[in-house]
Amino acid sequence: MIKNLVIVESPAKAKTIEGYLGKDFVVKSSFGHVRDLPKDNNAIDIEHGFKPTYVVSSDKKEVVAQLRKLAKEAETVWLASDDDREGEAISWHLTEALDLNDQKTRRIVFREITKNAILNAISSPRSIDMDLVNAQQARRILDRLVGFELSPVLWKKIKTGLSAGRVQSVAVRLVVEREREIERFKAEAAFRITATFEVQGKTLEAELPTRFGTEAEAQAFLQRCIGAGYTIESLEKKPLKRTPAPPFTTSTLQQEASRKLYFSVAQTMTIAQRLYESGKISYMRTDSVNLSEEAIQGAQREIQSSFGEQFVKVRRFKTKSSSAQEAHEAIRPTDFSKQLVSDDRNEQRLYELIRKRAIASQMADAEIEKTTATIGISTQAEKLQATGEVIKFEGFLKVYIESKDEEEGQDEDVKGMLPPLSIGQQLTLRQMLATQRYSRPPARYTEASLVKKLEEMGIGRPSTYAPTISTIQKRGYVEKDSREGKERPYQMLTLKHDQISTQTKTEIVGAEKAKLFPTDTAMVVNDFLVEHFPNVIDYSFTARVEAEFDEIAQGQKEWENMLDNFYKKFHQRIESSESISRAEVSGARELGSDPVTGKTVYARLGRFGPYVQLGEENPETGEKPVYASLRKGQFLESLSLEDALELFKLPRIVGTFEDKEMTAAIGRFGPYIRHDGKFYSLPKTLDPLQVTEQEAVELIEGKRKADAEKVIKSFPENPDIQVLNGRYGPYITAGKKNVKIPKGKEPRELTLQECLELAEATPEKKGRGGFKKKAAADTAPAEKKKAAPKAKATKAKANPKSK
């Protein structure tokens, strides 16, 4: 007989909690959700108040059977899933799936996995909050309805395999609209004047507050400065205070981990989940900046002992969002005195970020003195300015400085000091520069800045940010990519020793690192949805739906009514979409005629992405059209005839090697060389239109050498078995199975028999099935599920023709 059965969501959490509760408690994991809507169209009974049908997932049947057996034996069952809507729904589904008796079931919640928090939760159980469950059900049902009804419309009108979702499609729209803003942007040039002076052996940098629109204006300004005297006309000292940022919410943690640690949104959440489950930080899905009194005291103690009393300033942050749960807390360490919590480098780095941010939030303001020197020019009325800052008291800056996004400017670093200056002081000019600078287009989104934008607009909640960002990339609507910049010339005028010289310099512009780019598919689908399903993709409407889920969670709204109001209008739109012709939404364009052959050139969206087509199929002569894939960074909507004609120059024969032709082309996975039936990816440094015979030969030989070095040992009597060198060291490959080599075994000395025995002892990996085509609505939080396996990419021939 079990006295107490505690059910949590993850095995890691179960292990941590079991250590705190003692022998009277058995802690088991449900491995996330145990029930969900079935994959068919009969999951929701729309006619009877949107009644859902739930089924136990096939991979959870064994887990449910074990939990049901233990629950029957237990005197008390404690449901300890996470303290949010998703967690509440998991507890409710467990109650239903395990047929739990209300009399012996308790619901407990905690925001951190520490002994105190767990014992406090056990001492104050509650019943399941059906308002929270209904809010989760409403989201799940609404997203299923949108996905299952809208995705087939996209299949019919654009291409099969597409998906749409209430939040993912809005996120895609943001990326598409930003790309078009950048496309429309026209850079404007202006000249910035900077001057360098020598003051008692030190350098003083100054700048003219105004910009000049033309080179002639900048030249005229410098001319007026020839022979001028420079004098300090005024010195203004101003005290400034800087206050720390609040402790992290889910969104701000994702943003700062992206800027400072270069983590993806999904990576941040995975690492934070591990820190939470091992009891190191409080719950990582939150939109509250609130800290408990206990946490504030813990931070105070740590600041006092490390820096002294004068560095402490208690702050109680309030969340601006009306939907935030103030009873919940911001993300913080469970024990502020702990600095080292993990041997895993990334876990430790993220923990340090969370700890420093939370500690800094309870520290004194930084006190800074800003000095502005105004410098007069004897020959004209314009004045130069020099600014410097001195930190009078570091305060929170001793621990933490928040980073900024690209569009907000760089890190808010404190400027350097000015050299000693006095009013009336004469300055010696070293040189004055007029540098041509161009205005910059809006910045493309990173994963984290897209999350920030969604949060600002009230779209999505802490549990949905990471899965939304993952979904739009998995579905092929958005690509995270780095692009090389292009050289751009700019003018620089220099005034030195009363002589003006002009130089043309170059700078690299448009370089991008880990930014989000829309695909052509995203643009076509987005335009279709904006025109025909404006509600689904409207920003304010989507934010309003989120607010309605909050109202359901607070018991202020009936979930069935909310769904009914949405579904009526939405379903009418679905029905009226039958009349839309496929041709008008395909994104296809006729670009013009090829001047050589006279044939028409088209740009189209095909099964494997965008492509151009030269000519039509001629059934009488059997002549076929010529196809070519678009290059990275090209879009159907802005492609010109000249761009398309350039693409038809591929595939091109580069030369011969070993009496066989080498062909350069572009395929689904980028540019490549094909030789003797094999494909060799071209690096970014080589252009398929310009790659030479020698470069192609070097590429092929280099790949062969790398492949040869990869094979440590092979067995002619059994070609399926090889000992290979991998990214993480030597391993055995046996057919499709990868096998670890035990420590102490020399890879080169392994026999075929030993390899076969090791392969036999290695279990098959479960759940490696391929993807099934399905209409995909916005999913439940990905962090609560096992991630779908990645499909292995294979190099295919470049034929983008879509049937």
Side-chain angles (χ1 to χ4, degrees):
M1 184 76 179
I2 299 170
K3 205 165 184 185
N4 295 283
L5 171 66
V6 181
I7 305 175
V8 295
E9 288 176 36
S10 77
K13 199 189 293 184
K15 195 176 169 190
T16 311
I17 292 171
E18 204 160 38
Y20 296 137
L21 288 175
K23 59 180 176 24
D24 286 341
F25 288 82
V26 171
V27 187
K28 292 291 176 187
S29 166
S30 70
F31 296 86
H33 274 280
V34 292
R35 297 198 313 173
D36 198 6
L37 299 169
K39 300 217 172 347
D40 56 44
N41 284 325
N42 304 316
I44 300 151
D45 187 348
I46 294 162
E47 301 301 317
H48 296 92
F50 300 91
K51 190 174 188 306
T53 298
Y54 292 108
V55 293
V56 174
S57 325
S58 56
D59 60 335
K60 293 294 175 67
K61 282 184 177 164
E62 198 179 319
V63 173
V64 168
Q66 286 173 357
L67 290 175
R68 190 180 284 135
K69 182 173 176 290
L70 291 168
K72 273 187 181 161
E73 293 174 24
E75 285 178 25
T76 309
V77 177
W78 305 83
L79 299 173
S81 49
D82 291 336
D83 185 14
D84 55 17
R85 291 174 205 170
E86 209 68 38
E88 206 68 22
I90 287 173
S91 279
W92 177 71
H93 282 297
L94 282 166
T95 306
E96 300 281 308
L98 307 183
D99 197 20
L100 296 179
N101 176 344
D102 283 353
Q103 299 304 310
K104 69 171 198 176
T105 306
R106 308 278 184 275
R107 168 78 171 120
I108 55 169
V109 291
F110 38 83
R111 304 292 296 179
E112 61 183 63
I113 302 174
T114 58
K115 189 166 188 175
N116 271 354
I118 302 303
L119 296 177
N120 285 341
I122 293 280
S123 67
S124 53
R126 61 169 172 81
S127 56
I128 287 172
D129 184 336
M130 284 311 295
D131 290 331
L132 289 180
V133 173
N134 288 337
Q136 189 274 347
Q137 284 198 101
R139 177 191 288 280
R140 186 76 190 90
I141 292 166
L142 184 60
D143 289 343
R144 168 58 70 90
L145 290 171
V146 171
F148 261 58
E149 295 206 4
L150 193 47
S151 297
V153 175
L154 299 180
W155 301 346
K156 283 184 208 164
K157 306 301 176 187
I158 301 171
K159 70 170 184 177
T160 53
L162 293 176
S163 71
R166 189 183 51 82
V167 176
Q168 61 154 308
S169 296
V170 175
V172 170
R173 182 181 182 182
L174 283 167
V175 177
V176 167
E177 288 183 350
R178 178 57 55 91
E179 192 64 37
R180 286 173 173 160
E181 269 184 81
I182 293 165
E183 192 70 31
R184 289 193 302 267
F185 181 81
K186 297 281 182 278
E188 291 178 0
F191 283 80
R192 173 180 174 236
I193 307 290
T194 54
T196 310
F197 298 96
E198 195 166 313
V199 181
Q200 297 169 16
K202 292 181 180 174
T203 300
L204 173 67
E205 302 277 349
E207 188 176 334
L208 192 73
T210 53
R211 299 275 192 274
F212 294 112
T214 65
E215 186 177 342
E217 289 173 312
Q219 177 91 22
F221 176 82
L222 294 185
Q223 286 283 357
R224 293 197 297 275
C225 290
I226 292 175
Y230 301 90
T231 312
I232 301 286
E233 289 190 352
S234 68
L235 284 169
E236 187 189 356
K237 290 191 177 180
K238 205 173 174 181
L240 294 177
K241 280 191 177 181
R242 285 201 186 139
T243 53
F248 284 127
T249 61
T250 303
S251 160
T252 54
L253 176 64
Q254 289 169 355
Q255 290 163 48
E256 197 71 333
S258 169
R259 298 178 195 125
K260 279 191 158 73
L261 308 178
Y262 305 105
F263 287 176
S264 71
V265 164
Q267 187 183 7
T268 298
M269 293 312 288
T270 302
I271 296 166
Q273 181 104 26
R274 291 205 296 265
L275 288 169
Y276 167 65
E277 289 177 348
S278 58
K280 303 301 186 293
I281 62 168
S282 59
Y283 192 49
M284 66 285 145
R285 280 190 282 274
T286 177
D287 51 8
S288 172
V289 289
N290 189 40
L291 286 180
S292 67
E293 288 304 315
E294 189 187 341
I296 289 172
Q297 286 164 23
Q300 268 182 281
R301 282 193 299 273
E302 193 54 31
I303 297 161
Q304 268 172 337
S305 66
S306 299
F307 310 113
E309 183 67 45
Q310 73 274 29
F311 279 87
V312 176
K313 182 172 180 181
V314 173
R315 300 169 196 274
R316 288 177 177 82
F317 293 94
K318 284 284 175 199
T319 309
K320 288 174 188 169
S321 161
S322 59
S323 66
Q325 306 279 312
E326 290 298 351
H328 294 168
E329 276 197 83
I331 305 168
R332 59 162 179 84
T334 53
D335 181 349
F336 281 89
S337 67
K338 281 190 179 164
Q339 294 194 35
L340 188 67
V341 298
S342 177
D343 294 334
D344 180 281
R345 181 170 175 265
N346 285 342
E347 280 183 31
Q348 182 60 30
R349 289 167 76 209
L350 190 67
Y351 175 79
E352 281 172 10
L353 195 66
I354 291 165
R355 182 178 177 273
K356 284 178 178 176
R357 174 89 162 214
I359 283 178
S361 78
Q362 299 304 308
M363 288 179 76
D365 294 338
E367 292 172 17
I368 294 157
E369 185 180 77
K370 181 180 178 181
T371 304
T372 304
T374 304
I375 302 164
I377 307 168
S378 63
T379 55
Q380 56 190 323
E382 282 103 336
K383 298 182 193 310
L384 298 162
Q385 275 189 351
T387 57
E389 292 177 349
V390 180
I391 297 175
K392 293 293 189 183
F393 177 64
E394 270 184 301
F396 76 93
L397 292 176
K398 207 168 182 70
V399 173
Y400 184 84
I401 301 175
E402 185 181 20
S403 298
K404 299 286 179 206
D405 282 323
E406 192 181 322
E407 55 264 39
E408 298 174 300
Q410 296 312 305
D411 283 13
E412 200 180 272
D413 261 334
V414 176
K415 290 176 183 168
M417 284 174 65
L418 295 178
L421 299 172
S422 57
I423 293 172
Q425 186 176 347
Q426 299 293 309
L427 302 176
T428 305
L429 180 72
R430 273 194 204 158
Q431 66 172 20
M432 191 179 284
L433 301 176
T435 311
Q436 190 178 29
R437 284 285 167 253
Y438 288 87
S439 55
R440 289 163 66 184
R444 284 186 177 87
Y445 290 109
T446 60
E447 287 188 351
S449 66
L450 181 57
V451 165
K452 183 183 179 185
K453 184 70 176 171
L454 289 168
E455 186 187 41
E456 282 172 0
M457 298 175 87
I459 295 163
R461 289 294 179 262
S463 61
T464 63
Y465 300 138
T468 298
I469 299 296
S470 299
T471 298
I472 63 176
Q473 291 177 68
K474 275 188 216 151
R475 306 277 182 247
Y477 288 127
V478 170
E479 291 171 347
K480 184 160 77 169
D481 202 2
S482 296
R483 304 263 168 102
E484 289 178 10
K486 293 177 183 170
E487 276 197 352
R488 176 172 66 191
Y490 69 93
Q491 299 302 112
M492 182 183 273
L493 313 178
T494 307
L495 170 63
K496 198 169 185 178
H497 307 309
D498 285 344
Q499 298 289 317
I500 298 172
S501 59
T502 305
Q503 273 178 294
T504 300
K505 296 193 165 191
T506 57
E507 59 185 348
I508 301 293
V509 293
E512 301 280 17
K513 190 175 178 186
K515 293 293 180 67
L516 299 179
F517 293 81
T519 61
D520 272 293
T521 306
M523 290 180 157
V524 173
V525 169
N526 177 71
D527 292 350
F528 173 73
L529 293 176
V530 167
E531 186 176 349
H532 299 288
F533 294 89
N535 262 12
V536 174
I537 207 161
D538 178 75
Y539 297 132
S540 57
F541 175 79
T542 309
R544 174 67 203 138
V545 169
E546 292 288 357
E548 287 183 351
F549 290 146
D550 294 337
E551 287 166 27
I552 295 165
Q554 289 151 18
Q556 296 164 3
K557 200 172 198 121
E558 292 293 326
W559 68 284
E560 295 92 343
N561 293 345
M562 180 257 173
L563 289 174
D564 192 43
N565 289 337
F566 174 91
Y567 185 73
K568 275 180 196 160
K569 292 173 193 163
F570 172 68
H571 192 64
Q572 282 169 6
R573 288 269 184 184
I574 294 285
E575 289 177 330
S576 64
S577 69
E578 287 297 323
S579 60
I580 304 161
S581 77
R582 185 176 177 130
E584 76 182 73
V585 293
S586 67
R589 292 171 60 221
E590 191 176 302
L591 301 180
S593 301
D594 174 17
V596 179
T597 62
K599 291 176 182 175
T600 307
V601 178
Y602 304 94
R604 290 192 167 126
L605 185 64
R607 196 175 146 208
F608 299 123
Y611 67 96
V612 284
Q613 176 183 327
L614 175 63
E616 304 274 8
E617 193 166 337
N618 189 329
E620 291 172 18
T621 63
E623 190 183 4
K624 302 239 188 257
V626 178
Y627 301 100
S629 297
L630 266 62
R631 302 190 70 171
K632 201 170 256 190
Q634 291 181 321
F635 291 108
L636 284 177
E637 62 184 41
S638 56
L639 195 76
S640 67
L641 177 64
E642 291 70 27
D643 294 332
L645 294 173
E646 197 71 15
L647 293 170
F648 291 122
K649 291 178 182 175
L650 295 174
R652 65 179 263 265
I653 295 166
V654 175
T656 55
F657 176 52
E658 297 172 345
D659 298 326
K660 292 186 176 70
E661 285 179 346
M662 296 180 291
T663 307
I666 297 174
R668 286 175 67 190
F669 307 104
Y672 63 88
I673 296 286
R674 187 174 72 241
H675 174 258
D676 195 17
K678 291 182 180 168
F679 297 86
Y680 303 86
S681 290
L682 279 170
K684 285 181 178 177
T685 49
L686 295 178
D687 187 316
L689 287 166
Q690 292 168 350
V691 63
T692 64
E693 184 176 61
Q694 182 59 35
E695 286 169 333
V697 169
E698 285 170 9
L699 182 74
I700 293 166
E701 287 179 335
K703 178 76 167 67
R704 285 178 181 176
K705 185 170 180 280
D707 287 349
E709 287 169 358
K710 188 181 176 182
V711 180
I712 295 171
K713 194 170 186 181
S714 58
F715 303 95
E717 63 272 40
N718 190 338
D720 274 356
I721 307 294
Q722 286 184 307
V723 183
L724 303 177
N725 232 329
R727 275 177 72 190
Y728 306 109
Y731 68 100
I732 299 162
T733 176
K736 291 184 178 179
K737 191 189 278 188
N738 291 341
V739 180
K740 277 185 181 176
I741 297 171
K743 278 184 182 174
K745 284 271 184 192
E746 170 54 50
R748 291 182 191 282
E749 291 171 12
L750 284 165
T751 64
L752 176 60
Q753 188 57 36
E754 283 176 313
C755 290
L756 289 168
E757 284 169 6
L758 287 167
E760 188 64 34
T762 302
E764 292 285 347
K765 278 195 178 176
K766 288 184 182 175
R768 299 297 293 175
F771 290 114
K772 289 177 185 171
K773 270 187 188 174
K774 60 176 182 163
D778 292 321
T779 57
E783 301 99 294
K784 305 228 182 228
K785 296 181 171 187
K786 282 186 179 176
K790 283 187 179 176
K792 208 168 191 179
T794 53
K795 183 68 82 174
K797 286 187 182 181
N799 181 6
K801 187 175 181 183
S802 173
K803 291 287 180 193

